[in-house]
Amino acid sequence: MTPESQSARIREICAMAPVIPVIVIEDAAWAEPLARSLVAGGLPVLEVTLRTPAALEAIAAMAQVEGAVVGAGTVITTQDAHRARTAGARFAVSPGLTDTLVGACEECALPLLPGAATASEAMQAVEAGFDTLKFFPAGPAGGPAYLKALAGPLPGIRFCPTGGVSATNAPDYLALSNVLCVGGSWISPADMMRAGDWAGIQALARQAAGLRP
Ligand SMILES: O=C(O)C(=O)C[C@H](O)[C@H](O)COP(=O)(O)O
């Protein structure tokens, strides 16, 4: 799967909902009820970060949930990409982009949403064949004003800003011509997952799903 076809698939995925929940999961037993509540709330695209030991098992469980399109986040290495693919991930998200990761995602046919935070990083990603990028870390890098400034010289690139995005500032990003959707962890807070508050998470998802400007 070439980077160009990976980006085409990523654009389809990013068009499915205004917000991609970024999930840091501690217990794989939470995966199914969590995915069900997010999908029921109107957010079918889910990113499970590979930052916890439970992540791969959680991806496998969520991939069985009807309507869920589950991807892996924090994909850094070749092994991450292959493990995510084997677990059932349908896309991968990375904070950056390396030649090694490009090769790994091509090899295992895993559509990649690579990260970029500067014009040069975005141009390098385009040279590698990717025109749909994660803008990371969105807040610290400069927020909506910075991303808006990139739209002029780089009109073909579309972004999913992530990092410091919230229900409050998400509309500012979603209003930009170069933003397809945003990613954020605010829809699946650790304390609500620990409490098994799936109804509360569904309510957060519903609110996020209505954020289109
Ligand atoms: O580890 C990765 O590759 C990531 O995906 C980084 C996450 O997107 C951000 O850490 C989420 O940021 P917050 O919504 O501010 O919590």
Side-chain angles (χ1 to χ4, degrees), residues 129-160:
F130 298 90
D131 66 4
T132 310
L133 310 175
K134 163 168 152 161
F135 174 49
F136 178 80
Y146 182 106
L147 196 51
K148 184 176 184 184
L150 290 182
L154 304 170
I157 304 181
R158 293 292 177 274
F159 293 92
C160 169

Side-chain angles (χ1 to χ4, degrees), residues 22 47 49 51 73-74 93-95 134 136 162-165 183-186:
V22 176
E47 176 188 336
T49 68
R51 290 194 228 162
T74 330
V93 185
S94 177
K134 163 168 152 161
F136 178 80
T162 309
V165 181
S185 62
W186 85 87

Side-chain angles (χ1 to χ4, degrees), residues 4 97 121-133 154 157:
E4 289 80 2
L97 185 62
E121 288 171 9
M123 289 160 64
Q124 283 160 5
V126 169
E127 279 182 17
F130 298 90
D131 66 4
T132 310
L133 310 175
L154 304 170
I157 304 181

Side-chain angles (χ1 to χ4, degrees), residues 45-82:
V45 183
L46 313 177
E47 176 188 336
V48 180
T49 68
L50 299 185
R51 290 194 228 162
T52 61
L56 289 169
E57 201 183 331
I59 288 170
M62 289 182 172
Q64 303 301 317
V65 171
E66 197 178 335
V69 177
V70 185
T74 330
V75 174
I76 313 282
T77 66
T78 297
Q79 197 180 42
D80 290 339
H82 283 271

Side-chain angles (χ1 to χ4, degrees), residues 124-213:
Q124 283 160 5
V126 169
E127 279 182 17
F130 298 90
D131 66 4
T132 310
L133 310 175
K134 163 168 152 161
F135 174 49
F136 178 80
Y146 182 106
L147 196 51
K148 184 176 184 184
L150 290 182
L154 304 170
I157 304 181
R158 293 292 177 274
F159 293 92
C160 169
T162 309
V165 181
S166 67
T168 307
N169 64 18
D172 297 336
Y173 288 104
L174 290 167
L176 302 179
S177 62
N178 56 350
V179 168
L180 295 172
C181 63
V182 300
S185 62
W186 85 87
I187 313 105
S188 52
D191 55 344
M192 288 174 82
M193 288 194 280
R194 287 185 196 127
D197 185 4
W198 311 123
I201 287 176
Q202 184 172 329
L204 287 177
R206 194 163 298 287
Q207 183 199 33
L211 281 176
R212 278 251 178 266

